[in-house]
Amino acid sequence: MQNRSALIPMSIIGVLFFIFGFVTWLNGSLIPFLKLICDLNEFQALFVTFAFYIAYTVMALPMAYVLEKTGYKNGMALGLGVMAIGALLFIPAAQSASFVFFLTALFTLGTGLTILQTASNPYVVCIGPIESAAMRISIMGIINKGAGVLAPLLFSAFIFSDIGFGENLTADTKEALASKLITPYIVMALMLSALIALVKFSSLPELEFQKDSQSQEKKSILEFPRVVLGAAAIFFYVGIEVIAGDTIGLYGQHLGVENYTSLTSFTMIFMVAGYAVGITFIPKYLSQQQALIGSALFGILFLLGVVFSSQSHGVSEVLWGWSGIRTLPNTVTFVALLGFANALVWPTIWPLALEGLGKYTAQGSALLIMAIAGGAILPLIFGKIAQVSSDMQTTYLLGTLCYAFILFYALKGHKISSWRRA
């Protein structure tokens, strides 16, 4: 694929990454929203992330086999179709205001995204030189997180436009809020259906992998330590990424911040800034390994800021006034800054893990996608600890374990070529 023009494939994949971001980071607004209308506590509300991200673990390997049968292009069209079904399932969920129905719809959306992610990430890695793969993924990341900025803002503006953010809602108000979800998800289903035609009838080429001597010697994807350890790093990364993006609304709600359902946008803004750094500096000034090391260290630094900064003294209106939030506690700002630390983790782990896999690329991609389960499991652990301890601020220290493993992978894990040499 390196001899073909990358413009058209990158444009099509860019559209898909926008959809990934919009659907995924809408969860950050859905969590406090469903907490209100379904009368949930923090731990129960975070089952939104569990239902969505556990689909990646359950469905990743089956989707890898689907890709081997259908090809990457047809697989993407199939994934969009499954997502459209998931969006339509929000209609009965909203009509009944049933949390179980909402979780079913979210799992279906996650299933569709699983096959899209399994197919599209190898595309971006393999479409050009491996040394600049993180730069290309960073471009996709800006598109993805740009959608992540828009989704919570549009959600808050549309859903709460004439009702407000009050905690003591009547049954009629809750029913009216739930019904407002119907129109946006119908529109989403129509857009996903249109994208099926775009992908199906586009000139998007199939991936063709060159044979690699190392991959020919292996009999299983599990014989590649850098992939297995890379999956573990993805697990911890997605866990802390989801904690940073999806719990910030709950944290703001806990601290009494107004317009808290839009706080996920702040995390996404800092992620976009991080991606801009990747596009500018990788690989000319920073190697992919150096960027990953820096990401882990920044993450630990910002977590210390979350835990030890003030809950009462906010940043200036100049910084956050555009959002309708006059001030924001410094501790919440540090949660948003985790977006900057997280931005280059995904773009750098993928090329480090997939290099030289050859015929095992689809399975390696599936293994990395399965690790997105970190977004299902770690936020639940976070929510339970926060509920039991009644100290959400200190609970963010859980993230230091995530960044510690990411740092290990950056320094040593990705270099291990055999378990015997580990």
Side-chain angles (χ1 to χ4, degrees), residues 225-236:
R226 68 177 177 275
V227 180
V228 176
L229 295 174
I234 289 287
F235 177 91
F236 287 112

Side-chain angles (χ1 to χ4, degrees), residues 36 81 86 113 217 227 278 341 347:
L36 283 178
L113 275 172
E217 297 172 359
V227 180

Side-chain angles (χ1 to χ4, degrees), residues 19-274:
I19 297 300
F20 299 165
F22 197 92
V23 173
T24 299
W25 297 110
L26 197 57
N27 290 341
S29 295
L30 276 175
I31 290 171
F33 173 78
L34 293 180
K35 181 175 180 288
L36 283 178
I37 67 170
C38 298
D39 296 319
L40 310 172
N41 59 39
E42 284 81 3
F43 176 67
Q44 292 170 330
L46 285 170
F47 270 94
V48 168
T49 63
F50 181 84
F52 186 81
Y53 288 102
I54 202 64
Y56 286 96
T57 300
V58 175
M59 303 304 297
L61 281 179
M63 293 303 101
Y65 289 118
V66 168
L67 288 178
E68 292 177 359
K69 298 295 183 181
T70 65
Y72 284 75
K73 182 176 176 179
N74 290 332
M76 290 182 198
L78 176 63
L80 288 165
V82 174
M83 287 183 67
I85 294 172
L88 291 175
L89 288 176
F90 270 84
I91 297 174
Q95 290 174 334
S96 64
S98 168
F99 191 48
V100 174
F101 281 8
F102 279 116
L103 296 182
T104 303
L106 286 162
F107 181 87
T108 307
L109 276 174
T111 298
L113 275 172
T114 299
I115 191 167
L116 284 175
Q117 291 267 29
T118 305
S120 61
N121 283 285
Y123 248 106
V124 182
V125 171
C126 300
I127 205 170
I130 193 72
E131 295 81 9
S132 58
M135 180 269 289
R136 292 190 297 278
I137 299 177
S138 293
I139 294 174
M140 294 298 126
I142 283 186
I143 297 170
N144 181 279
K145 280 7 181 238
V149 172
L150 289 175
L153 295 176
L154 291 175
F155 182 91
S156 296
F158 183 83
I159 300 298
F160 290 100
S161 58
D162 55 358
I163 295 179
F165 293 86
E167 293 288 329
N168 299 317
L169 302 179
T170 65
D172 289 341
T173 303
K174 290 179 180 179
E175 183 178 342
L177 274 174
S179 66
K180 281 194 167 190
L181 289 177
I182 295 175
T183 299
Y185 279 94
I186 289 177
V187 173
M188 184 184 295
L190 292 174
M191 292 179 63
L192 291 168
S193 300
L195 284 174
I196 295 174
L198 172 66
V199 171
K200 185 71 176 176
F201 300 107
S202 70
S203 58
L204 197 66
E206 280 295 337
L207 287 177
E208 298 176 4
F209 299 105
Q210 296 179 349
K211 293 182 179 180
D212 183 270
S213 58
Q214 185 184 11
S215 67
Q216 293 296 100
E217 297 172 359
K218 306 289 187 180
K219 297 180 180 180
S220 167
I221 190 62
L222 299 179
E223 294 183 34
F224 293 88
R226 68 177 177 275
V227 180
V228 176
L229 295 174
I234 289 287
F235 177 91
F236 287 112
Y237 155 68
V238 177
I240 187 59
E241 180 192 38
V242 173
I243 287 171
D246 284 358
T247 69
I248 189 172
L250 285 177
Y251 191 33
Q253 184 183 33
H254 175 71
L255 296 180
V257 176
E258 71 272 28
N259 203 14
Y260 51 81
T261 59
S262 68
L263 290 179
T264 297
S265 294
F266 297 175
T267 306
M268 297 301 103
I269 288 170
F270 284 117
M271 288 199 83
V272 169

